[in-house]
Structure formats: structure tokens, C-alpha cells
Coordinates of all heavy atoms in Angstrom, one line a residue:
L1 N -57.2 -129.8 88.9 CA -57.2 -130.6 87.7 C -57.7 -129.8 86.5 O -57.1 -130.0 85.4 CB -58.2 -131.8 87.9 CG -58.0 -132.9 86.9 CD1 -56.6 -133.5 86.8 CD2 -59.0 -134.0 87.2
D2 N -58.6 -128.9 86.6 CA -59.0 -128.1 85.5 C -57.9 -127.2 85.0 O -57.7 -127.0 83.8 CB -60.2 -127.2 85.8 CG -61.5 -128.0 85.9 OD1 -61.6 -129.1 85.3 OD2 -62.4 -127.6 86.6
Y3 N -57.1 -126.6 85.9 CA -55.9 -125.8 85.6 C -54.9 -126.6 84.7 O -54.4 -126.1 83.7 CB -55.2 -125.3 86.9 CG -54.0 -124.4 86.6 CD1 -54.2 -123.1 86.2 CD2 -52.8 -125.0 86.5 CE1 -53.1 -122.3 85.9 CE2 -51.6 -124.2 86.2 CZ -51.8 -122.9 86.0 OH -50.7 -122.1 85.6
I4 N -54.7 -127.8 85.1 CA -53.7 -128.7 84.4 C -54.2 -128.9 83.0 O -53.5 -128.8 82.0 CB -53.4 -130.0 85.2 CG1 -52.7 -129.7 86.5 CG2 -52.6 -131.0 84.3 CD1 -52.5 -130.8 87.4
R5 N -55.5 -129.3 82.9 CA -56.1 -129.6 81.6 C -56.1 -128.3 80.7 O -55.9 -128.4 79.5 CB -57.5 -130.1 81.7 CG -57.6 -131.5 82.2 CD -59.0 -132.1 82.2 NE -58.9 -133.4 82.6 CZ -59.8 -133.9 83.5 NH1 -60.8 -133.2 83.9 NH2 -59.7 -135.2 83.8
Q6 N -56.2 -127.2 81.3 CA -56.2 -125.9 80.5 C -54.9 -125.6 80.0 O -54.7 -125.0 78.9 CB -56.8 -124.8 81.4 CG -56.9 -123.5 80.7 CD -57.5 -122.4 81.6 OE1 -57.7 -122.6 82.8 NE2 -57.7 -121.3 81.1
H7 N -53.8 -125.9 80.7 CA -52.4 -125.5 80.4 C -51.5 -126.6 79.9 O -50.3 -126.3 79.6 CB -51.8 -124.8 81.6 CG -52.5 -123.5 81.9 ND1 -53.6 -123.4 82.8 CD2 -52.3 -122.2 81.5 CE1 -54.0 -122.2 82.9 NE2 -53.2 -121.4 82.1
L8 N -51.9 -127.8 79.8 CA -51.1 -128.9 79.5 C -51.6 -129.6 78.2 O -52.8 -129.9 78.1 CB -51.0 -129.9 80.6 CG -50.1 -131.1 80.4 CD1 -48.7 -130.8 80.3 CD2 -50.4 -132.2 81.5
T9 N -50.7 -129.8 77.3 CA -51.0 -130.6 76.1 C -50.0 -131.7 76.0 O -48.8 -131.5 76.1 CB -50.9 -129.8 74.8 OG1 -51.8 -128.6 74.9 CG2 -51.3 -130.6 73.6
V10 N -50.5 -132.9 75.9 CA -49.6 -134.1 75.8 C -49.6 -134.5 74.3 O -50.7 -134.7 73.7 CB -50.1 -135.2 76.7 CG1 -49.2 -136.5 76.5 CG2 -50.1 -134.8 78.1
H11 N -48.4 -134.8 73.8 CA -48.3 -135.2 72.4 C -47.8 -136.6 72.3 O -46.9 -137.0 73.1 CB -47.3 -134.3 71.6 CG -47.8 -132.9 71.5 ND1 -48.5 -132.5 70.4 CD2 -47.6 -131.8 72.3 CE1 -48.8 -131.2 70.6 NE2 -48.2 -130.8 71.7
Q12 N -48.4 -137.4 71.5 CA -48.0 -138.8 71.3 C -46.6 -138.9 70.7 O -46.3 -138.2 69.7 CB -49.0 -139.5 70.4 CG -48.9 -141.0 70.3 CD -47.8 -141.5 69.4 OE1 -46.8 -142.1 69.9 NE2 -47.8 -141.3 68.1
G13 N -45.7 -139.7 71.2 CA -44.4 -139.8 70.6 C -43.8 -141.2 70.7 O -42.6 -141.3 70.8
K14 N -44.6 -142.2 70.7 CA -44.1 -143.5 70.9 C -43.6 -144.2 69.6 O -43.0 -145.2 69.7 CB -45.2 -144.4 71.5 CG -46.4 -144.7 70.6 CD -47.4 -145.6 71.2 CE -48.5 -145.9 70.2 NZ -49.4 -146.9 70.7
G15 N -43.8 -143.6 68.5 CA -43.3 -144.2 67.3 C -43.9 -145.5 67.0 O -45.1 -145.7 67.1
K16 N -43.1 -146.5 66.6 CA -43.5 -147.8 66.3 C -43.9 -148.6 67.6 O -44.5 -149.7 67.5 CB -42.4 -148.6 65.6 CG -42.2 -148.1 64.2 CD -41.0 -148.6 63.5 CE -40.9 -150.2 63.5 NZ -39.8 -150.7 62.7
G17 N -43.5 -148.2 68.7 CA -43.8 -148.9 70.0 C -42.6 -149.0 70.9 O -41.5 -148.6 70.5
Y18 N -42.8 -149.6 72.0 CA -41.7 -149.8 73.0 C -40.5 -150.5 72.4 O -40.6 -151.6 71.9 CB -42.2 -150.6 74.2 CG -41.2 -150.8 75.2 CD1 -40.7 -149.8 76.1 CD2 -40.6 -152.1 75.3 CE1 -39.7 -150.1 77.0 CE2 -39.6 -152.3 76.2 CZ -39.2 -151.3 77.1 OH -38.2 -151.5 78.0
A19 N -39.4 -149.8 72.6 CA -38.0 -150.3 72.2 C -37.9 -150.6 70.7 O -37.0 -151.3 70.3 CB -37.7 -151.5 73.0
M20 N -38.8 -150.2 69.9 CA -38.7 -150.4 68.4 C -38.4 -149.0 67.8 O -39.3 -148.3 67.5 CB -40.0 -151.0 67.9 CG -40.3 -152.4 68.4 SD -41.7 -153.1 67.6 CE -43.1 -152.3 68.5
A21 N -37.1 -148.8 67.6 CA -36.7 -147.5 67.0 C -36.5 -147.5 65.5 O -36.0 -148.5 65.0 CB -35.4 -147.0 67.7
T22 N -36.9 -146.5 64.9 CA -36.7 -146.4 63.4 C -35.3 -145.8 63.2 O -34.7 -145.2 64.1 CB -37.7 -145.4 62.8 OG1 -37.5 -144.1 63.3 CG2 -39.1 -145.9 63.1
P23 N -34.7 -146.0 62.0 CA -33.4 -145.4 61.7 C -33.4 -143.8 61.9 O -32.4 -143.3 62.4 CB -33.2 -145.7 60.2 CG -34.0 -147.0 60.0 CD -35.2 -146.8 60.9
E24 N -34.5 -143.2 61.6 CA -34.6 -141.7 61.8 C -34.6 -141.3 63.2 O -33.9 -140.4 63.6 CB -36.0 -141.2 61.2 CG -36.1 -141.3 59.7 CD -36.5 -142.7 59.2 OE1 -36.9 -143.6 60.0 OE2 -36.4 -143.0 58.0
E25 N -35.2 -142.1 64.1 CA -35.1 -141.9 65.5 C -33.7 -142.1 66.1 O -33.2 -141.2 66.9 CB -36.1 -142.8 66.3 CG -37.6 -142.5 66.0 CD -38.5 -143.5 66.4 OE1 -38.1 -144.7 66.7 OE2 -39.7 -143.3 66.4
L26 N -33.1 -143.1 65.6 CA -31.7 -143.4 66.1 C -30.7 -142.3 65.6 O -29.9 -141.9 66.3 CB -31.2 -144.8 65.6 CG -32.0 -146.0 66.2 CD1 -31.6 -147.3 65.6 CD2 -31.8 -146.0 67.8
D27 N -30.9 -141.9 64.4 CA -30.1 -140.8 63.8 C -30.3 -139.5 64.6 O -29.4 -138.8 64.9 CB -30.4 -140.6 62.3 CG -29.5 -139.6 61.7 OD1 -28.3 -139.8 61.8 OD2 -30.0 -138.7 61.0
F28 N -31.6 -139.2 65.0 CA -31.9 -138.0 65.7 C -31.2 -138.1 67.1 O -30.5 -137.1 67.5 CB -33.4 -137.9 65.9 CG -33.8 -136.8 66.8 CD1 -33.8 -135.5 66.3 CD2 -34.1 -136.9 68.1 CE1 -34.2 -134.4 67.1 CE2 -34.4 -135.9 68.9 CZ -34.5 -134.6 68.4
V29 N -31.3 -139.2 67.9 CA -30.7 -139.2 69.2 C -29.2 -139.1 69.1 O -28.6 -138.5 70.0 CB -31.2 -140.4 70.0 CG1 -32.7 -140.4 70.3 CG2 -30.8 -141.7 69.5
T30 N -28.6 -139.7 68.1 CA -27.2 -139.6 67.9 C -26.7 -138.2 67.6 O -25.8 -137.6 68.2 CB -26.7 -140.6 66.8 OG1 -27.2 -141.9 67.2 CG2 -25.2 -140.6 66.8
S31 N -27.4 -137.6 66.6 CA -27.1 -136.2 66.2 C -27.3 -135.2 67.4 O -26.5 -134.4 67.6 CB -28.0 -135.8 65.0 OG -27.7 -136.6 63.9
F32 N -28.4 -135.4 68.1 CA -28.7 -134.5 69.2 C -27.6 -134.6 70.3 O -27.1 -133.6 70.8 CB -30.0 -134.9 69.8 CG -30.6 -133.9 70.8 CD1 -31.3 -132.8 70.3 CD2 -30.4 -134.1 72.1 CE1 -31.8 -131.9 71.2 CE2 -30.9 -133.1 73.0 CZ -31.6 -132.0 72.6
A33 N -27.1 -135.8 70.5 CA -26.0 -136.0 71.5 C -24.7 -135.3 71.0 O -24.1 -134.7 71.8 CB -25.8 -137.5 71.8
M34 N -24.4 -135.5 69.8 CA -23.2 -135.0 69.2 C -23.3 -133.4 69.2 O -22.3 -132.8 69.4 CB -23.0 -135.5 67.8 CG -22.8 -137.0 67.7 SD -21.2 -137.6 68.2 CE -20.2 -137.2 66.8
E35 N -24.4 -132.9 68.9 CA -24.5 -131.4 68.8 C -24.8 -130.7 70.1 O -24.4 -129.5 70.3 CB -25.7 -131.1 67.8 CG -25.4 -131.5 66.4 CD -26.5 -131.3 65.5 OE1 -27.4 -130.4 65.8 OE2 -26.6 -131.9 64.4
T36 N -25.4 -131.3 71.1 CA -25.7 -130.7 72.3 C -25.0 -131.2 73.6 O -25.0 -130.5 74.6 CB -27.2 -130.8 72.6 OG1 -27.6 -132.1 72.9 CG2 -28.1 -130.2 71.5
G37 N -24.5 -132.4 73.5 CA -23.9 -133.0 74.7 C -24.9 -133.7 75.6 O -24.6 -134.1 76.7
I38 N -26.2 -133.6 75.2 CA -27.3 -134.2 76.0 C -27.6 -135.6 75.4 O -28.0 -135.7 74.2 CB -28.5 -133.3 76.0 CG1 -28.2 -131.9 76.6 CG2 -29.7 -133.9 76.7 CD1 -29.3 -130.9 76.4
I39 N -27.6 -136.6 76.2 CA -27.8 -137.9 75.7 C -29.3 -138.3 76.0 O -29.8 -138.1 77.1 CB -26.9 -139.0 76.5 CG1 -25.5 -138.7 76.1 CG2 -27.3 -140.4 76.1 CD1 -24.5 -139.5 76.9
L40 N -29.9 -138.7 74.9 CA -31.3 -139.1 74.9 C -31.4 -140.6 74.7 O -30.8 -141.1 73.7 CB -32.2 -138.4 73.9 CG -32.1 -136.9 73.9 CD1 -32.8 -136.3 72.6 CD2 -32.8 -136.3 75.1
D41 N -32.1 -141.3 75.5 CA -32.2 -142.8 75.2 C -33.2 -143.0 74.0 O -34.1 -142.3 73.8 CB -32.7 -143.5 76.4 CG -34.2 -143.3 76.7 OD1 -34.5 -142.3 77.2 OD2 -34.9 -144.2 76.3
P42 N -32.9 -144.1 73.2 CA -33.8 -144.3 72.1 C -35.0 -145.1 72.4 O -35.8 -145.4 71.5 CB -32.8 -145.1 71.2 CG -31.9 -145.8 72.1 CD -31.7 -144.9 73.3
V43 N -35.3 -145.4 73.7 CA -36.5 -146.1 74.0 C -37.6 -145.2 74.4 O -38.8 -145.4 74.0 CB -36.2 -147.2 75.2 CG1 -37.4 -147.9 75.6 CG2 -35.1 -148.1 74.7
Y44 N -37.3 -144.2 75.2 CA -38.4 -143.3 75.7 C -38.1 -141.8 75.2 O -38.7 -141.3 74.3 CB -38.5 -143.3 77.2 CG -38.9 -144.6 77.8 CD1 -38.1 -145.4 78.5 CD2 -40.3 -145.0 77.6 CE1 -38.5 -146.6 79.1 CE2 -40.7 -146.2 78.1 CZ -39.8 -147.0 78.9 OH -40.3 -148.2 79.4
T45 N -37.2 -141.2 75.9 CA -37.0 -139.7 75.8 C -36.6 -139.3 74.4 O -37.1 -138.3 73.8 CB -35.9 -139.2 76.8 OG1 -36.3 -139.7 78.1 CG2 -35.8 -137.7 76.8
G46 N -35.7 -140.0 73.8 CA -35.2 -139.7 72.4 C -36.4 -139.8 71.4 O -36.5 -138.9 70.6
K47 N -37.2 -140.9 71.5 CA -38.3 -141.0 70.6 C -39.3 -139.9 70.8 O -39.9 -139.3 69.9 CB -38.9 -142.4 70.8 CG -38.1 -143.5 70.2 CD -38.6 -144.8 70.7 CE -39.9 -145.2 70.0 NZ -40.2 -146.6 70.2
A48 N -39.6 -139.6 72.1 CA -40.6 -138.6 72.4 C -40.1 -137.2 71.8 O -40.9 -136.5 71.2 CB -40.8 -138.5 73.9
L49 N -38.8 -136.9 72.0 CA -38.4 -135.6 71.5 C -38.3 -135.5 70.0 O -38.7 -134.5 69.4 CB -37.0 -135.2 72.1 CG -36.5 -133.8 71.8 CD1 -37.5 -132.7 72.2 CD2 -35.1 -133.6 72.4
Y50 N -37.9 -136.6 69.4 CA -37.9 -136.7 67.9 C -39.3 -136.4 67.4 O -39.5 -135.6 66.5 CB -37.4 -138.1 67.5 CG -37.6 -138.3 66.0 CD1 -36.8 -137.7 65.1 CD2 -38.7 -139.1 65.5 CE1 -37.0 -137.9 63.7 CE2 -38.9 -139.3 64.2 CZ -38.1 -138.7 63.3 OH -38.3 -138.9 61.9
H51 N -40.3 -137.1 67.9 CA -41.6 -137.0 67.4 C -42.2 -135.6 67.7 O -42.9 -135.0 66.9 CB -42.6 -138.1 67.8 CG -42.2 -139.4 67.2 ND1 -42.6 -139.7 65.9 CD2 -41.4 -140.4 67.6 CE1 -42.2 -140.9 65.5 NE2 -41.4 -141.3 66.5
F52 N -41.9 -135.1 68.9 CA -42.4 -133.7 69.2 C -41.7 -132.7 68.4 O -42.4 -131.8 67.8 CB -42.1 -133.4 70.7 CG -42.6 -132.1 71.1 CD1 -43.9 -131.8 71.1 CD2 -41.7 -131.0 71.4 CE1 -44.4 -130.5 71.4 CE2 -42.2 -129.8 71.7 CZ -43.5 -129.5 71.7
A53 N -40.4 -132.8 68.2 CA -39.7 -131.8 67.3 C -40.2 -131.9 65.9 O -40.4 -130.8 65.2 CB -38.2 -132.1 67.3
T54 N -40.5 -133.1 65.4 CA -41.1 -133.2 64.0 C -42.4 -132.5 64.0 O -42.7 -131.8 63.0 CB -41.2 -134.7 63.7 OG1 -39.9 -135.3 63.7 CG2 -41.8 -134.9 62.3
H55 N -43.2 -132.7 65.0 CA -44.5 -132.1 65.1 C -44.4 -130.5 65.1 O -45.1 -129.8 64.4 CB -45.3 -132.5 66.3 CG -46.7 -131.9 66.4 ND1 -47.7 -132.2 65.6 CD2 -47.1 -131.0 67.3 CE1 -48.8 -131.5 65.9 NE2 -48.5 -130.8 67.0
V56 N -43.5 -130.0 65.9 CA -43.2 -128.6 66.0 C -42.8 -128.0 64.6 O -43.3 -127.0 64.2 CB -42.2 -128.2 67.1 CG1 -41.8 -126.8 67.0 CG2 -42.8 -128.5 68.5
L57 N -41.9 -128.7 64.0 CA -41.4 -128.2 62.7 C -42.5 -128.2 61.6 O -42.5 -127.4 60.7 CB -40.2 -129.1 62.2 CG -38.9 -128.9 63.0 CD1 -37.9 -129.9 62.6 CD2 -38.4 -127.4 62.9
T58 N -43.4 -129.2 61.7 CA -44.5 -129.3 60.7 C -45.7 -128.4 61.0 O -46.6 -128.2 60.2 CB -44.9 -130.7 60.4 OG1 -45.4 -131.3 61.6 CG2 -43.8 -131.5 59.8
S59 N -45.8 -128.0 62.3 CA -46.9 -127.2 62.8 C -46.4 -126.0 63.5 O -46.9 -125.7 64.6 CB -47.8 -128.0 63.7 OG -48.1 -129.3 63.1
A60 N -45.5 -125.2 62.9 CA -44.8 -124.1 63.6 C -45.8 -123.1 64.1 O -45.6 -122.6 65.3 CB -43.8 -123.5 62.7
K61 N -46.8 -122.8 63.4 CA -47.8 -121.7 63.8 C -48.5 -122.1 65.1 O -48.9 -121.2 65.9 CB -48.8 -121.4 62.7 CG -48.2 -120.7 61.6 CD -49.2 -120.3 60.6 CE -48.6 -119.5 59.4 NZ -49.5 -119.0 58.5
E62 N -48.7 -123.4 65.3 CA -49.4 -123.9 66.5 C -48.6 -123.5 67.8 O -49.1 -123.4 68.8 CB -49.6 -125.4 66.4 CG -50.2 -126.0 67.6 CD -50.3 -127.5 67.4 OE1 -50.2 -128.1 66.3 OE2 -50.5 -128.2 68.5
F63 N -47.3 -123.3 67.6 CA -46.4 -123.1 68.8 C -45.9 -121.7 68.9 O -45.1 -121.4 69.8 CB -45.3 -124.1 68.7 CG -45.7 -125.5 68.9 CD1 -46.0 -126.3 67.7 CD2 -46.0 -126.1 70.1 CE1 -46.4 -127.6 67.8 CE2 -46.5 -127.4 70.2 CZ -46.7 -128.1 69.1
Q64 N -46.3 -120.8 68.0 CA -45.8 -119.4 68.0 C -46.2 -118.8 69.3 O -47.3 -119.0 69.8 CB -46.4 -118.6 66.9 CG -45.6 -118.8 65.6 CD -46.2 -118.0 64.4 OE1 -47.4 -117.7 64.4 NE2 -45.3 -117.6 63.5
N65 N -45.3 -118.0 69.9 CA -45.5 -117.3 71.2 C -45.9 -118.3 72.3 O -46.7 -117.9 73.2 CB -46.6 -116.2 71.0 CG -46.2 -115.2 70.0 OD1 -45.0 -114.8 69.9 ND2 -47.1 -114.9 69.1
S66 N -45.4 -119.5 72.3 CA -45.7 -120.5 73.3 C -44.5 -120.8 74.1 O -43.4 -120.7 73.6 CB -46.2 -121.8 72.7 OG -47.4 -121.6 72.0
N67 N -44.7 -121.2 75.3 CA -43.6 -121.7 76.1 C -43.7 -123.2 76.1 O -44.8 -123.8 76.2 CB -43.8 -121.2 77.6 CG -43.6 -119.8 77.7 OD1 -42.6 -119.2 77.2 ND2 -44.4 -119.1 78.5
I68 N -42.6 -123.9 75.8 CA -42.6 -125.3 75.7 C -41.6 -125.9 76.8 O -40.5 -125.4 77.0 CB -42.1 -125.7 74.3 CG1 -43.1 -125.2 73.3 CG2 -41.9 -127.2 74.2 CD1 -42.6 -125.4 71.8
L69 N -42.1 -126.9 77.5 CA -41.3 -127.6 78.4 C -41.2 -129.0 78.0 O -42.3 -129.7 77.8 CB -41.9 -127.5 79.8 CG -41.3 -128.5 80.9 CD1 -39.9 -128.0 81.2 CD2 -42.1 -128.5 82.1
F70 N -40.0 -129.5 77.7 CA -39.8 -130.9 77.4 C -39.1 -131.5 78.6 O -38.0 -131.1 79.0 CB -39.0 -131.2 76.2 CG -38.9 -132.6 75.8 CD1 -39.9 -133.3 75.1 CD2 -37.8 -133.3 76.3 CE1 -39.8 -134.6 74.8 CE2 -37.7 -134.7 76.0 CZ -38.6 -135.3 75.3
W71 N -39.7 -132.5 79.2 CA -39.2 -133.1 80.4 C -38.3 -134.3 80.1 O -38.8 -135.3 79.7 CB -40.3 -133.5 81.3 CG -40.0 -133.8 82.7 CD1 -39.1 -134.6 83.3 CD2 -40.6 -133.1 83.8 NE1 -39.2 -134.6 84.6 CE2 -40.0 -133.6 85.0 CE3 -41.6 -132.1 84.0 CZ2 -40.4 -133.2 86.3 CZ3 -41.9 -131.7 85.2 CH2 -41.4 -132.2 86.3
H72 N -37.0 -134.2 80.3 CA -36.1 -135.3 80.0 C -36.2 -136.2 81.2 O -35.8 -135.9 82.3 CB -34.7 -134.7 79.9 CG -33.6 -135.8 79.4 ND1 -33.5 -137.0 80.0 CD2 -32.7 -135.7 78.5 CE1 -32.5 -137.7 79.4 NE2 -32.0 -136.9 78.5
T73 N -36.6 -137.5 80.9 CA -36.9 -138.4 82.0 C -35.8 -139.4 82.3 O -35.9 -140.3 83.1 CB -38.2 -139.2 81.7 OG1 -38.0 -139.9 80.5 CG2 -39.4 -138.3 81.6
G74 N -34.6 -139.2 81.6 CA -33.5 -140.1 81.9 C -33.6 -141.2 80.9 O -33.7 -141.0 79.7
G75 N -33.5 -142.5 81.4 CA -33.6 -143.6 80.5 C -32.3 -144.1 79.9 O -32.3 -144.8 78.9
T76 N -31.2 -143.7 80.5 CA -29.9 -144.0 79.9 C -29.7 -145.5 79.7 O -29.0 -146.0 78.8 CB -28.8 -143.5 80.9 OG1 -29.0 -142.1 81.1 CG2 -27.4 -143.7 80.2
L77 N -30.3 -146.3 80.6 CA -30.2 -147.8 80.4 C -30.7 -148.3 79.1 O -30.3 -149.3 78.6 CB -30.9 -148.5 81.6 CG -30.2 -148.3 82.9 CD1 -31.0 -149.0 84.0 CD2 -28.8 -148.8 82.9
G78 N -31.6 -147.5 78.5 CA -32.2 -147.9 77.2 C -31.1 -147.8 76.1 O -31.3 -148.4 75.0
M79 N -30.0 -147.2 76.3 CA -28.9 -147.1 75.3 C -28.2 -148.5 75.1 O -27.8 -148.8 74.0 CB -27.8 -146.1 75.8 CG -28.3 -144.7 76.0 SD -28.8 -144.0 74.5 CE -27.2 -143.6 73.8
F80 N -28.1 -149.3 76.2 CA -27.4 -150.5 76.1 C -28.1 -151.5 75.0 O -27.4 -152.2 74.3 CB -27.3 -151.2 77.4 CG -26.5 -150.4 78.4 CD1 -27.1 -149.7 79.4 CD2 -25.1 -150.3 78.2 CE1 -26.3 -148.9 80.3 CE2 -24.3 -149.6 79.1 CZ -24.9 -148.9 80.1
D81 N -29.4 -151.6 75.1 CA -30.1 -152.5 74.2 C -29.9 -152.1 72.7 O -30.0 -152.9 71.8 CB -31.6 -152.6 74.5 CG -32.3 -153.6 73.7 OD1 -31.8 -154.7 73.6 OD2 -33.4 -153.2 73.2
K82 N -29.7 -150.8 72.4 CA -29.6 -150.3 71.1 C -28.2 -150.0 70.6 O -27.9 -149.5 69.6 CB -30.4 -148.9 71.0 CG -31.9 -149.1 71.2 CD -32.5 -149.9 70.1 CE -34.0 -150.0 70.3 NZ -34.5 -151.0 69.5
A83 N -27.2 -150.5 71.4 CA -25.8 -150.2 71.1 C -25.4 -150.7 69.7 O -24.7 -150.0 69.0 CB -24.9 -150.8 72.1
D84 N -25.8 -151.9 69.3 CA -25.5 -152.4 68.0 C -26.0 -151.6 66.9 O -25.5 -151.5 65.8 CB -26.0 -153.8 67.8 CG -25.2 -154.8 68.7 OD1 -24.1 -154.5 69.1 OD2 -25.8 -155.9 69.0
E85 N -27.2 -150.9 67.1 CA -27.8 -150.1 66.1 C -27.2 -148.7 66.1 O -27.1 -148.0 65.0 CB -29.3 -150.0 66.3 CG -30.0 -151.3 66.1 CD -31.5 -151.2 66.4 OE1 -32.2 -150.5 65.7 OE2 -31.9 -151.8 67.4
L86 N -26.8 -148.2 67.2 CA -26.2 -146.8 67.3 C -24.8 -146.7 66.9 O -24.4 -145.7 66.4 CB -26.4 -146.3 68.8 CG -27.8 -146.1 69.2 CD1 -27.8 -145.9 70.8 CD2 -28.3 -144.9 68.5
L87 N -24.0 -147.8 67.1 CA -22.6 -147.7 66.8 C -22.3 -147.4 65.4 O -21.4 -146.5 65.1 CB -21.9 -149.0 67.2 CG -20.4 -149.0 67.2 CD1 -19.9 -147.9 68.2 CD2 -19.9 -150.4 67.7
P88 N -22.9 -148.0 64.4 CA -22.6 -147.5 63.0 C -23.0 -146.1 62.7 O -22.2 -145.4 62.0 CB -23.5 -148.4 62.1 CG -23.9 -149.6 63.0 CD -23.9 -149.1 64.4
I89 N -24.0 -145.6 63.3 CA -24.4 -144.1 63.2 C -23.3 -143.3 63.8 O -22.8 -142.3 63.2 CB -25.7 -143.8 63.8 CG1 -26.8 -144.6 63.1 CG2 -26.0 -142.3 63.7 CD1 -28.1 -144.6 63.8
L90 N -22.8 -143.6 65.0 CA -21.7 -142.9 65.6 C -20.5 -142.9 64.8 O -19.8 -141.9 64.7 CB -21.5 -143.4 67.0 CG -22.5 -143.1 68.1 CD1 -22.2 -143.9 69.3 CD2 -22.4 -141.6 68.4
R91 N -20.1 -144.0 64.2 CA -18.9 -144.1 63.4 C -19.0 -143.2 62.2 O -18.0 -142.7 61.8 CB -18.7 -145.6 63.0 CG -18.2 -146.4 64.1 CD -17.7 -147.8 63.7 NE -17.1 -148.5 64.8 CZ -17.4 -149.8 65.1 NH1 -18.3 -150.4 64.4 NH2 -16.9 -150.3 66.1
Q92 N -20.2 -143.1 61.6 CA -20.4 -142.2 60.4 C -20.2 -140.8 60.8 O -19.7 -139.9 60.0 CB -21.7 -142.4 59.8 CG -21.9 -143.6 59.0 CD -23.3 -143.7 58.3 OE1 -24.3 -143.4 59.0 NE2 -23.3 -144.1 57.1
M93 N -20.6 -140.4 62.0 CA -20.6 -139.0 62.4 C -19.3 -138.6 63.0 O -19.0 -137.4 63.0 CB -21.7 -138.7 63.5 CG -23.1 -138.9 62.9 SD -24.3 -138.6 64.2 CE -25.7 -138.1 63.3
A94 N -18.5 -139.5 63.5 CA -17.3 -139.2 64.2 C -16.3 -138.6 63.2 O -16.2 -139.1 62.1 CB -16.7 -140.4 64.9
P95 N -15.6 -137.6 63.7 CA -14.5 -137.1 62.8 C -13.4 -138.1 62.6 O -13.2 -138.9 63.5 CB -14.0 -135.9 63.6 CG -14.5 -136.0 64.9 CD -15.7 -136.9 64.9
P96 N -12.7 -138.1 61.4 CA -11.7 -139.1 61.2 C -10.5 -139.0 62.1 O -10.2 -138.1 62.7 CB -11.3 -138.8 59.7 CG -11.9 -137.5 59.4 CD -12.9 -137.1 60.4

């Protein structure tokens, strides 16, 4: 247990709370999917990565020479509940 505490840092990434996504979070998961082909759900994984990436970008020195592991936990079913909010974003990003 001491080894884990010494080598693991957990960052808060829940945003507004369970299943309450901001426009910035939804834009991030959509852009991330379009640019990488990796789908992040907007309920758990997408919000967590959005907030972690924001933290890394604003605190870059904290992460210099560090190894980072982001664990994608799935959560694809979270996409269905947010379909109405994601569709307009996808339509804006899609090529004509």
C-alpha cells in the first residue's frame, strides 16, 4: 500500500457531477474522437480526460519528465444519454 501511495496520484475530474456535462467537455470528447478515433464517453472517461488534460496544460512543469497513465474505462453506454447534445457538435465538425 505504501508503494502505491508513493507512486500514484489521483486527480479529480468529475466536473459538475455525474452525467452533467459542460459544453467544453462535450466539445472535447467529440474533438478527441474525430482526431484520434478513440471514443470517450461524456459521463466518466471523457470528463476525466478533459479535466486531467486541462490540469496538465495549466501545470506543465508538474508533469515534466513524468510517465502518465490514463486508464480508459470504457463507458460507451454513456454516449446514448448525451446523443442530443453531441449531435449538433458533430454536425459542426463534420466535413461538408
